[in-house]
Amino acid sequence: MYRTHTCGELRLTDAGKTVTLSGWVQRVRKMGGMTFIDLRDRYGITQLVFNQETDAALCDRANKMGREFVLQATGTVGERFSKNDKMPTGDIEITVTELRVLNEALTPPFTIEEHTDGGDDLRMKYRYLDLRREPVRRNLELRHKFCLETRRYLDSEGFLEIETPVLVGSTPEGARDFIVPSRMNPGSFYALPQSPQTLKQLLMVAGMDKYFQIVKCFRDEDLRADRQPEFTQIDCEMSFVEQDDIIRVFEGLTKHLFRTVRGTDLGDTPFLRLSWEECMRRFGSDKPDMRFGMEFVELADVLKGTGDFGVFNSAAYIGGICVPGCASYTRKQLDELTAFVRSPQIGAKGLVYARVADDGTVKSSVDKFYSPETLAALKEKMQATAGDLILIMSGDEANRTRKQLCELRLLMGGRLGLRDKNKFALLWVVDFPMFEWSDEQQRLMAMHHPFTAPKPEDVPLLDTDPASVKANAYDMVCNGVEVGGGSIRIHDAVLQAKIFDILGFTPEQAQAQFGFLMNAFKYGAPPHGGLAYGLDRFVSLFAGLDSIRDVIAFPKNNAGRDVMLDAPAPVAQAQLDELQIALAPAEPQQP
Ligand code: ASP
């Protein structure tokens, strides 16, 4: 028997017991005639003690144990002389009588501590050592609990967990596919699912009624802190439902997860619902952070054509936010804000500001163009009071400017400490547009995905003004992060064909790529709809983390590489030959 207890288990009530523990050496300390070893496993740390006077040979051996050696120690539980109230086992220690080295260890390349000295790359290369660190391990425990409670809740609601294949055909969700060559079908490729979208719809045609799956999805797109090439969804689909039915079930799941996994009671009131249009108008985002106000105020009626400021006079949109308590910002601080909105990521032309002084007067960067009355009207419209800083942006395309102003709002919210990670503001964003125009592709694209149903009352507009059609689609947003999204689906082959047509597919292309789905719809497809949560994102929100990497056991870096496995990597010529794949000659290197 390797152990009788774990390293996190023993308490003062166990005093006097003979126990055996196994684990890793966290640290070895020599103090006077005593040697202490902190022994660690997944469950905690227990102090082992060796006494030079009572057993010199054993104590000498203990002194030679290096960090991360794997040990088995047998001894007696005793009360500690100097207790440590920071650890659950801090009242006891084990006076060791037998010590066995189960495995030696090289000195780890970084410290295995709560705060390590290891940089990101090093930690990822030795991720198995990084995972020994308590904060990283805690994230995986949280993720486990999250999955478990998801299964528990959805099972209680009658959902079946059904696996779908990973080697499939293309499942368009707006990203590039990862493709896998088929040896048995030379020249043909599988695509890894961007999501099980079409498969879960087929499960509805199959009468499964309520499906879910905790499932890997693969999207070949540029990576950011909250994106990985493979990520996990809680994917769900239901039959004979409308939007309200889905919202009810998944609001229930969300509240259940908050309560059971995080101990946060979100109360009985339903989540707020806002239309996409209202979100854009008030917050410049389809995933507004509702932990704080600073809502947009449209200012064209006050500032357009009322002074000599050409920028505003020719703008299609002028909007402002009122930042409390920041009227004292220095010129330098304001220049920094201007540089921020002008940065390439945001791309705005500039920023206008107005300060409300203690006596209530307004001083702005465009004073010379406007009368004091107009500035007073600005203050009035913004409902600004003494000490407020008004920040104004304008542009010739309303939604583009709103998105830029949104970045500024988020920055200022963060600076004022209003984006507290322990506070949660959830809402549903509904009534998304069905399509969005792509400049790059010069065509309408599905805003959610091509299987999303239009609002029934908008169906006639598909022929006359498709760009104005609204979709039966919804997103769940938490603290400015889209945690989930879904839609009511099209279940009619004719309507589906029409959407493919609007999206620029010829009937032949649509048939070749989605014939299986349109065909299935001819065999009695029930009305259905669903949604998917981004599991990694949701768990990282629970953990208060900015990056989803920290909740994934073996994540990839920003270049999509697994630096531990050194993947992706070239393969042997023989493997390529078998697949009948020839690589293009490498591009000549630039000198
Ligand atoms: N398949 C969708 C996605 O991955 C979710 C859904 O519509 O159910 O975003």
Side-chain angles (χ1 to χ4, degrees):
M1 191 159 55
Y2 277 110
R3 58 185 172 190
T4 55
H5 295 80
T6 71
C7 296
E9 205 179 336
L10 294 165
R11 301 288 182 272
L12 207 47
T13 45
D14 297 301
K17 282 187 191 160
T18 300
V19 298
T20 301
L21 303 184
S22 290
W24 288 262
V25 174
Q26 176 81 23
R27 90 176 57 83
V28 182
R29 273 165 301 145
K30 261 175 84 166
M31 277 164 71
M34 313 282 268
T35 293
F36 299 95
I37 294 182
D38 284 347
L39 196 69
R40 180 194 68 237
D41 65 11
R42 201 187 98 195
Y43 310 93
I45 291 179
T46 297
Q47 176 165 296
L48 308 180
V49 57
F50 303 83
N51 192 330
Q52 189 73 37
E53 266 177 32
T54 48
D55 192 339
L58 191 64
C59 197
D60 286 346
R61 279 185 62 218
N63 287 333
K64 294 200 188 83
M65 297 299 126
R67 269 164 55 203
E68 300 307 313
F69 274 36
V70 188
L71 305 185
Q72 183 191 39
T74 299
T76 316
V77 183
E79 185 170 357
R80 254 208 224 183
F81 182 63
S82 58
K83 300 196 170 56
N84 180 348
D85 59 9
K86 296 209 175 60
M87 45 201 285
T89 60
D91 286 351
I92 58 106
E93 62 191 5
I94 315 293
T95 304
V96 177
T97 49
E98 273 172 65
L99 183 67
R100 200 170 133 209
V101 176
L102 299 177
N103 213 339
E104 297 190 352
L106 294 176
T107 305
F110 49 85
T111 53
I112 315 283
E113 303 276 354
E114 170 111 18
H115 300 288
T116 176
D117 57 357
D120 232 27
D121 286 350
L122 200 60
R123 287 174 40 215
M124 289 307 140
K125 187 164 161 53
Y126 297 92
R127 182 65 164 169
Y128 46 89
L129 296 179
D130 195 33
L131 290 173
R132 286 186 193 164
R133 295 173 48 231
E134 192 186 327
V136 190
R137 194 197 64 231
R138 255 191 271 126
N139 292 338
L140 294 190
E141 286 170 355
L142 182 75
R143 186 182 177 113
H144 162 77
K145 185 101 195 283
F146 196 98
C147 292
L148 191 70
E149 290 300 336
T150 297
R151 291 198 161 97
R152 225 197 279 278
Y153 180 87
L154 290 176
D155 177 61
S156 77
E157 289 280 327
F159 283 76
L160 295 182
E161 184 165 17
I162 304 175
E163 284 180 85
T164 52
V166 168
L167 296 175
V168 293
S170 186
T171 51
E173 295 268 0
R176 229 174 265 119
D177 288 324
F178 281 102
I179 57 173
V180 180
S182 164
R183 180 184 54 81
M184 288 191 280
N185 305 273
S188 289
F189 296 82
Y190 301 101
L192 303 182
Q194 292 186 32
S195 87
Q197 184 59 40
T198 49
L199 292 155
K200 66 176 174 174
Q201 291 190 243
L202 292 173
L203 288 171
M204 294 303 104
V205 180
M208 291 299 136
D209 200 57
K210 291 176 177 177
Y211 142 95
F212 89 101
Q213 184 179 192
I214 297 184
V215 62
K216 273 288 173 73
C217 302
F218 306 85
R219 296 184 191 178
D220 187 1
E221 49 193 351
D222 294 336
L223 305 178
R224 298 192 302 241
D226 63 351
R227 276 204 195 145
Q228 284 274 299
E230 54 176 300
F231 59 98
T232 306
Q233 283 190 345
I234 305 171
D235 190 43
C236 310
E237 197 75 6
M238 303 167 77
S239 290
F240 305 112
V241 286
E242 290 172 342
Q243 178 168 298
D244 275 355
D245 301 307
I246 295 183
I247 285 186
R248 186 188 50 76
V249 171
F250 291 99
E251 211 166 288
L253 170 65
T254 307
K255 287 181 176 177
H256 174 82
L257 290 171
F258 266 95
R259 193 177 54 251
T260 55
V261 181
R262 209 185 172 281
T264 305
D265 186 358
L266 295 178
D268 296 329
T269 40
F271 297 169
L272 181 69
R273 284 189 214 179
L274 292 181
S275 73
W276 177 86
E277 242 164 43
E278 189 173 351
C279 287
M280 291 306 295
R281 201 163 28 80
R282 289 171 56 191
F283 303 98
S285 169
D286 56 7
K287 40 179 192 296
D289 187 340
M290 306 287 287
R291 281 172 296 183
F292 64 105
M294 260 186 236
E295 286 189 28
F296 295 5
V297 180
E298 304 212 353
L299 296 169
D301 57 340
V302 183
L303 297 175
K304 187 170 174 172
T306 54
D308 283 338
F309 190 42
V311 174
F312 283 174
N313 289 344
S314 63
Y317 173 85
I318 310 171
I321 55 171
C322 186
V323 190
C326 289
S328 57
Y329 260 37
T330 61
R331 187 57 206 254
K332 184 159 169 273
Q333 284 173 302
L334 292 164
D335 286 347
E336 276 166 16
L337 291 184
T338 306
F340 171 76
V341 300
R342 280 192 182 146
S343 64
Q345 307 92 286
I346 299 186
K349 291 221 176 65
L351 182 65
V352 166
Y353 59 84
R355 298 179 167 108
V356 185
D358 285 346
D359 64 2
T361 54
V362 182
K363 282 229 169 317
S364 90
S365 52
V366 290
D367 268 358
K368 61 178 180 226
F369 300 120
Y370 291 101
S371 66
E373 290 74 32
T374 304
L375 292 175
L378 167 68
K379 176 181 139 193
E380 177 81 21
K381 180 97 194 213
M382 295 295 307
Q383 297 190 345
T385 54
D388 288 354
L389 174 67
I390 300 168
L391 297 171
I392 305 168
M393 290 173 73
S394 66
D396 43 24
E397 213 206 295
N399 278 347
R400 187 185 308 147
T401 312
R402 287 182 175 122
K403 285 182 189 166
Q404 295 165 339
L405 188 54
C406 168
E407 297 298 330
L408 189 62
R409 172 181 177 267
L410 294 176
L411 178 82
M412 298 314 289
R415 284 199 185 173
L416 295 186
L418 301 172
R419 304 182 71 192
D420 179 350
K421 289 190 171 153
N422 287 310
K423 257 202 178 152
F424 295 94
L426 287 116
L427 78 152
W428 291 99
V429 180
V430 297
D431 302 345
F432 277 82
M434 183 84 178
F435 305 106
E436 59 188 338
W437 177 256
S438 160
D439 280 337
E440 195 184 311
Q441 302 213 12
Q442 287 293 302
R443 66 171 178 94
L444 289 176
M445 310 268 285
M447 193 140 173
H448 188 52
H449 54 55
F451 316 106
T452 295
K455 294 242 172 239
E457 61 275 23
D458 284 1
V459 168
L461 290 171
L462 287 171
D463 292 317
T464 53
D465 184 12
S468 70
V469 173
K470 293 271 185 302
N472 240 333
Y474 33 80
D475 275 355
M476 186 189 276
V477 174
C478 178
N479 293 1
V481 174
E482 180 201 323
V483 286
S487 59
I488 297 297
R489 326 298 184 187
I490 297 164
H491 62 280
D492 169 81
V494 177
L495 182 57
Q496 185 66 72
K498 183 175 216 141
I499 300 297
F500 286 138
D501 178 46
I502 294 172
L503 293 173
F505 289 84
T506 63
E508 295 72 30
Q509 285 168 333
Q511 192 56 39
Q513 216 181 329
F514 304 111
F516 67 94
L517 187 69
M518 289 191 286
N519 212 29
F521 286 170
K522 293 177 188 155
Y523 289 92
H528 60 286
L531 98 182
Y533 284 105
L535 177 94
D536 315 278
R537 266 188 213 175
F538 218 150
V539 177
S540 60
L541 264 175
F542 270 33
L545 297 163
D546 294 323
S547 167
I548 63 169
R549 266 181 236 162
D550 298 319
V551 300
I552 298 174
F554 299 108
K556 302 204 171 24
N557 73 8
N558 265 347
R561 294 198 65 79
D562 185 319
V563 289
M564 181 182 69
L565 302 175
D566 201 17
V571 295
Q573 187 59 44
Q575 273 176 300
L576 291 176
D577 292 346
E578 220 168 33
L579 295 164
Q580 301 191 26
I581 289 179
L583 299 181
E587 297 267 321
Q589 295 283 318
Q590 294 291 332

